[in-house]
Amino acid sequence: MPKLILLRHGQSEWNLQNRFTGWWDVDVTEKGIEEARAAGRLMREKGVDPDICFTSLQTRAIKTLHLALEEMDRLWLPEYKDWHLNERHYGGLTGLDKQETRDRHGDEQVHVWRRSFDVPPPQLEAGSEYDLSSDPRYAGIDVPRTESLKLTIERVLPYWNDVIAPELKAGKTVLISAHGNSLRALVKHLSAIPDDEITGLEIPTGQPMIYELDDELDEVERYYLKDR
């Protein structure tokens, strides 16, 4: 039975500061480091052994993966990094304090930007300090200016179908270390969660979520490893 492990990165510096992060690259906090290590220890204790790993191009997800694998004595596992697993791009909200944004634009508007399925935030202006179009890790990539959850799903799922799903169908246990919204995209797909419900799904940092799948990669069971 194919097994998938989804791991949201440990607490990041901007999680702690309550700022919109998106594609901007921030590190994990000391708490985030411990969350990642604890995830690795839990997987080791429960006998959950991945064969192959996928992550984004963002430091917080990459570090979380490495810290967890270190605790499992599995830093040697094959690992693939790809921008399709990056966090949702928060556009012009990037870097803003969430409470200040609510004070400026109102709770209702910010709620729409954060929690609607298909309404993206305002676009990031060209030349902004958070403009990543010249970042070498994104060379040759059309970096988005903003994304809704719907747009995030539209880039995550082709990568899932073309690259990750074949590994599961080959019988491998797959570990994905990524972000709240890129993982939300996968959960929506695997658990067939409706558009109007998926935005309310919260995925905690540093807690391995397990999918037991059938041979067609349909969900048999989904649970957090800490609950077993």
Side-chain angles (χ1 to χ4, degrees):
M1 181 181 292
K3 181 175 291 185
L4 174 66
I5 310 154
L6 302 181
L7 179 62
R8 184 183 175 192
H9 62 79
Q11 183 192 62
S12 76
E13 292 170 346
W14 281 15
N15 289 148
L16 180 61
Q17 296 173 24
N18 204 32
R19 299 168 74 181
F20 290 100
T21 314
W23 276 42
W24 193 247
D25 202 34
V26 300
D27 209 339
V28 286
T29 62
E30 288 299 317
K31 178 182 178 181
I33 289 171
E34 180 48 37
E35 286 177 333
R37 291 193 180 281
R41 290 194 294 270
L42 181 62
M43 286 188 278
R44 183 189 66 215
E45 290 162 7
K46 299 289 187 178
V48 176
D49 297 324
D51 301 303
I52 188 170
C53 308
F54 295 89
T55 188
S56 70
L57 296 184
Q58 299 183 273
T59 297
R60 55 195 186 272
I62 297 167
K63 272 198 174 179
T64 294
L65 175 61
H66 291 173
L67 289 164
L69 291 178
E70 185 176 23
E71 291 293 325
M72 302 169 74
D73 193 25
R74 275 177 162 68
L75 278 169
W76 49 268
L77 284 177
E79 167 191 330
Y80 299 90
K81 304 181 184 78
D82 197 280
W83 68 271
H84 289 90
L85 295 175
N86 274 20
E87 177 58 293
R88 169 190 173 191
H89 198 302
Y90 274 104
L93 301 183
T94 302
L96 296 180
D97 176 275
K98 292 177 182 176
Q99 186 56 53
E100 289 178 358
T101 309
R102 291 189 196 97
D103 294 343
R104 184 182 307 172
H105 297 284
D107 287 344
E108 186 174 343
Q109 179 62 72
V110 174
H111 182 76
V112 168
W113 286 333
R114 292 190 67 194
R115 293 303 186 191
S116 70
F117 179 69
D118 57 3
V119 179
Q123 289 196 1
L124 185 72
E125 293 183 8
S128 161
E129 64 178 307
Y130 302 118
D131 185 349
L132 292 166
S133 57
S134 61
D135 189 308
R137 85 189 80 183
Y138 301 119
I141 295 169
D142 187 13
V143 176
R145 293 285 177 194
T146 186
E147 288 180 311
S148 60
L149 179 57
K150 180 175 184 288
L151 290 172
T152 306
I153 291 169
E154 288 175 0
R155 66 164 157 86
V156 171
L157 286 190
Y159 186 73
W160 163 265
N161 290 325
D162 294 344
V163 181
I164 301 175
E167 300 292 348
L168 287 160
K169 289 182 176 180
K172 294 179 182 176
T173 296
V174 172
L175 169 58
I176 303 175
S177 175
H179 308 265
N181 283 292
S182 50
L183 295 180
R184 195 177 271 133
L186 292 176
V187 171
K188 183 185 191 309
H189 171 70
L190 292 167
S191 297
I193 297 175
D195 296 355
D196 60 348
E197 294 180 17
I198 189 59
T199 54
L201 176 74
E202 291 292 340
I203 299 175
T205 56
Q207 288 294 341
M209 178 192 292
I210 308 297
Y211 269 95
E212 306 282 359
L213 303 166
D214 65 19
D215 290 341
E216 298 304 313
L217 304 190
D218 292 322
E219 177 187 348
V220 175
E221 190 177 9
R222 180 185 82 189
Y223 55 90
Y224 283 104
L225 192 56
K226 66 181 177 62
D227 297 329
R228 292 302 172 95

